[in-house]
Amino acid sequence: MDILITGLLLGGTYALIAMGLNLQYGMARIMNLANGEMLVAGGFAAFWLYNAGQVSPLLTVFLVAPLAFALNWLIYRVMLLPLVRRAKSRGQLEVDSILATFGLSFVAVGLMLMAFGGDYFSYSYLARPVSFLGDTYALNRMVAFLAAVVICGALYLWLERSRAGMSIRAIAVAPESARLVGIDVPRLAAIAFALGGAVTAAGGALISSFLTLDASTGVVFTLKALIIVIMGGVGDVRGTIVAALLLGVMETFVAALIDPGLTLAAAYLLFILILLFRPQGLFGQRTT
Amino acid sequence: MTGQELRALILSTLALAAAAALPALGSSYWLTMGVTIAMYTVLATSWALFSGPTHYISLATAAFFGVGTYTTAIGIELLPYWTLLPIAAALGAVMAALVGFATLRLSGVYFVIFTLGLAEFVRQIITWVQNLTGQKGLYVLTDLTEKHIYWQLLGLAALVYLAGWLIARSRLGFALRIIGDDEEVARHVGIDTALAKIVLFMVPGAVAAVAGAMLAPRYIYIEPSLAFTPMLSFQVVIMALLGGTGRLWGAVVGVIPFTLLWEAISASFPNQTTLLLGVAFLVIVYLLPRGFVGLLEDARRRLGGGGW
């Protein structure tokens, strides 16, 4: 029982990160392999502010998110839009954006190594036990989970209810037709991409309160987020949340019952099963 | 055989003979560089054989390479060294076929993600098995020296070039050119596109595993983090794309300068190699989308020279 809840708590934060990637890949159509580095950067900010001025990671989120939004908007406009413009086909854009964001990811790791060194970093924020349903859990995991739920909920409502959210969903479904009904696709794609970066960085600030990170761990989170997005179905918010919780629970089970060194292998196994049996995602419809 | 092909054959034989004479220089530094360059030439050329026509970016090189390294490490106690190379090739090919079966029917993104995690997946499992059995690493003790490893790699390179030439002339190569141009068309004319891609992907799988098996004696002490280093996959991608995947000889044009640059950077700024990888990726995407080969061909065209 406590494994299940710990897994769900972890899955909640994963959902936030995967949601960020889903905005970028599902809506803006850019497979962003530098996503994990944005997360680590958010974590670094939280770490640094906490050590320098005891700033709570929850407050850091409000600082990191706008910064990450601006940075990702710039990245999209300056680096990715030219690729979108020159691409002759979806496949060409995919290859180009994969290579470009790999480049970005390595540059980001290199810069972070230069600025902070290769050490692991962690800080102790709200690291006290709380009891819940008869078992004890770390308070920081609980708080991070609740914050993730709030952010995910707000994002979901915005996508479902607001006009901009609806337009973004429209470009996710049919980018060509969206233009015909007067949606400014490049502008909204840039917003979706930037928002995805902001959500991921916020997730990084939250996750750093209970996980140890270092400059080169980003790729692990990228991989997990990708697996979640594909498992949940590209562009599907509800599927992403379910898949993230599933992955969180599965990882926690494997770590607790078999070996903590196998968490990524477990995620990967799940991924293989999805690819073999439901490549369109858990709730997706098979397309032709 | 046309005159052009004969000329290419003579040129490549001469180049191979010249490369084979490298140990005669007697410089251990250049011999070490030679092994590194030969290794990356083998890996990048076989990578380009698959990724050139299909446009699928494979990051599985490190996984195949590691499997090959472990084949030697485990097998050396039981079997003579020479039998291990074909075993490694078979293992690599089977693994590539399995990966291909799971992903090559789907779009390119799935393939990239799958191969990105593959090396780490295999590494975690081997580490776990080693923890269960209580051993940390394996010793590979042979009397093969750097010189022998170098010649073996050159032989493998010759095989890779031969395979590339044969594939280009075969039905498979013809099918792949159509797939590369337009997969939809290929499917409509009755090409089993998934099967063609899976068969082709087995080539770099087998080659990378053999390369890993050949290099195991050089490492002497084998452990998972050494055999499955993820950097290897990225370096191979960069070298192949930097050279250009459109030509069989393209990869080596990227391998030599990048290896020299990499060695220079890691000697004087060991912490900046990640940054170098990143910048190299960006240069390829924004400045050299067709690699050095593209530059050379543009230059030839501008000078009014004919095609190849």
Side-chain angles (χ1 to χ4, degrees):
Chain A
M1 187 62 199
D2 59 330
I3 297 179
L4 189 65
I5 293 182
T6 311
L8 287 176
L9 291 180
L10 182 65
T13 345
Y14 281 174
L16 194 57
I17 302 162
M19 198 86 109
L21 188 75
N22 210 345
L23 278 169
Q24 297 186 324
Y25 182 53
M27 321 285 177
R29 310 254 158 178
I30 298 287
M31 170 51 76
N32 182 12
L33 294 166
N35 187 267
E37 276 63 44
M38 198 46 69
L39 177 141
V40 174
F44 264 127
F47 167 75
W48 188 71
L49 286 172
Y50 188 77
N51 277 350
Q54 298 290 302
V55 182
S56 146
L58 293 176
L59 281 178
T60 309
V61 166
F62 290 98
L63 180 74
V64 159
L67 278 179
F69 186 92
L71 180 64
N72 278 275
W73 189 83
L74 263 181
I75 289 175
Y76 186 83
R77 298 299 298 201
V78 175
M79 303 191 63
L80 300 171
L81 202 55
L83 298 183
V84 175
R85 295 236 162 95
R86 92 174 181 201
K88 287 184 219 75
S89 65
R90 182 89 198 266
Q92 164 94 48
L93 176 60
E94 245 163 28
V95 171
D96 275 348
S97 60
I98 285 168
L99 293 176
T101 55
F102 258 135
L104 274 179
S105 140
F106 281 117
V107 168
V109 171
L111 292 178
M112 286 194 286
L113 276 176
M114 237 194 273
F116 301 96
D119 296 336
Y120 284 95
F121 66 97
S122 65
Y123 53 93
S124 168
Y125 169 73
L126 293 181
R128 47 176 184 268
V130 284
S131 58
F132 177 69
L133 294 177
D135 285 303
T136 48
Y137 304 95
L139 182 58
N140 49 25
R141 283 180 186 252
M142 290 280 215
V143 170
F145 176 77
L146 290 177
V149 169
V150 170
I151 298 176
C152 274
L155 198 62
Y156 182 74
L157 280 180
W158 181 76
L159 279 175
E160 289 292 319
R161 296 289 148 86
S162 79
R163 193 177 162 77
M166 197 169 76
S167 310
I168 285 182
R169 281 187 297 129
I171 63 171
V173 177
E176 289 304 315
S177 320
R179 275 182 31 211
L180 297 178
V181 294
I183 293 173
D184 185 352
V185 176
R187 193 179 74 91
L188 275 162
I191 289 178
F193 188 86
L195 195 63
V199 169
T200 307
L206 292 177
I207 221 167
S208 72
S209 68
F210 62 92
L211 282 186
T212 310
L213 302 173
D214 77 79
S216 46
T217 40
V219 64
V220 175
F221 289 100
T222 309
L223 200 59
K224 283 179 185 172
L226 287 168
I227 292 175
I228 292 169
V229 168
I230 288 171
M231 190 157 63
V234 177
D236 181 350
V237 172
R238 189 187 46 154
T240 302
I241 293 171
V242 175
L245 295 178
L246 207 62
L247 186 73
V249 170
M250 176 149 166
E251 266 189 14
T252 315
F253 262 100
V254 169
L257 302 178
I258 306 176
D259 188 314
L262 285 178
T263 49
L264 198 64
Y268 206 65
L269 206 62
L270 204 58
F271 184 46
I272 296 178
L273 293 177
I274 291 289
L275 285 186
L276 285 178
F277 300 109
R278 288 199 72 81
Q280 71 277 34
L282 286 177
F283 305 106
Q285 301 290 317
R286 194 175 275 276
T287 51
T288 47
Chain B
M1 199 178 273
T2 65
Q4 241 178 31
E5 280 173 334
L6 194 67
R7 203 182 58 172
L9 184 70
I10 293 172
L11 274 179
S12 35
T13 315
L14 283 179
L16 194 69
L22 179 75
L25 283 180
S27 150
S28 65
Y29 172 77
W30 282 109
L31 185 57
T32 308
M33 287 302 286
V35 171
T36 311
I37 288 177
M39 175 183 96
Y40 283 121
T41 302
V42 164
L43 295 175
T45 308
S46 63
W47 185 90
L49 277 183
F50 170 73
S51 296
T54 59
H55 306 299
Y56 278 78
I57 298 166
S58 160
L59 293 167
T61 312
F64 298 133
F65 187 87
V67 165
T69 314
Y70 264 84
T71 309
T72 304
I74 295 169
I76 200 81
E77 298 281 318
L78 315 164
L79 293 165
Y81 173 75
W82 297 108
T83 59
L84 296 173
L85 300 182
I87 294 177
L91 285 175
V94 169
M95 196 169 141
L98 291 176
V99 172
F101 176 74
T103 53
L104 285 175
R105 297 167 300 143
L106 306 166
S107 92
V109 169
Y110 295 78
F111 180 76
V112 176
I113 300 163
F114 194 88
T115 54
L116 170 64
L118 189 64
E120 181 63 17
F121 176 66
V122 183
R123 190 184 70 78
Q124 285 200 348
I125 291 193
I126 291 187
T127 310
W128 178 60
V129 171
Q130 286 192 335
N131 285 343
L132 287 184
T133 54
Q135 58 182 168
K136 281 278 165 286
L138 293 161
Y139 283 96
V140 177
L141 302 170
T142 58
D143 41 18
L144 294 170
T145 61
E146 196 84 343
K147 201 164 58 180
H148 300 116
I149 295 172
Y150 177 69
W151 282 326
Q152 285 184 56
L153 285 169
L154 280 189
L156 185 59
L159 278 180
V160 170
Y161 280 113
L162 190 66
W165 184 71
L166 287 175
I167 289 173
R169 292 166 59 96
S170 68
R171 281 173 63 87
L172 178 64
F174 187 48
L176 287 164
R177 276 198 294 280
I178 302 174
I179 294 175
D181 283 345
D182 193 329
E183 191 158 344
E184 207 63 35
V185 170
R187 229 173 288 142
H188 281 295
V189 296
I191 296 170
D192 187 343
T193 55
L195 183 70
K197 286 186 267 184
I198 293 173
V199 170
L200 189 66
F201 188 49
M202 289 165 76
V203 175
V207 170
V210 175
M214 283 177 175
L215 277 147
R218 190 198 208 192
Y219 297 135
I220 299 169
Y221 183 72
I222 312 285
E223 53 174 0
S225 56
L226 179 86
F228 293 96
T229 162
M231 265 324 178
L232 182 74
S233 304
F234 292 108
Q235 280 168 281
V236 166
V237 173
I238 287 176
M239 290 178 192
L241 291 175
L242 201 59
T245 55
R247 303 272 164 191
L248 194 52
W249 49 267
V252 71
V253 185
V255 167
I256 296 174
F258 194 79
T259 309
L260 296 177
L261 181 66
W262 181 269
E263 292 297 322
I265 298 268
S266 51
S268 30
F269 310 97
N271 295 326
Q272 307 311 332
T273 47
T274 330
L275 198 58
L276 173 64
L277 273 187
V279 172
F281 266 118
L282 296 179
V283 165
I284 288 168
V285 175
Y286 293 99
L287 303 176
L288 290 171
R290 281 158 58 228
F292 289 141
V293 169
L295 278 190
L296 286 174
E297 286 180 349
D298 288 349
R300 268 180 85 96
R301 198 162 307 135
R302 226 168 293 135
L303 292 173
W308 249 276

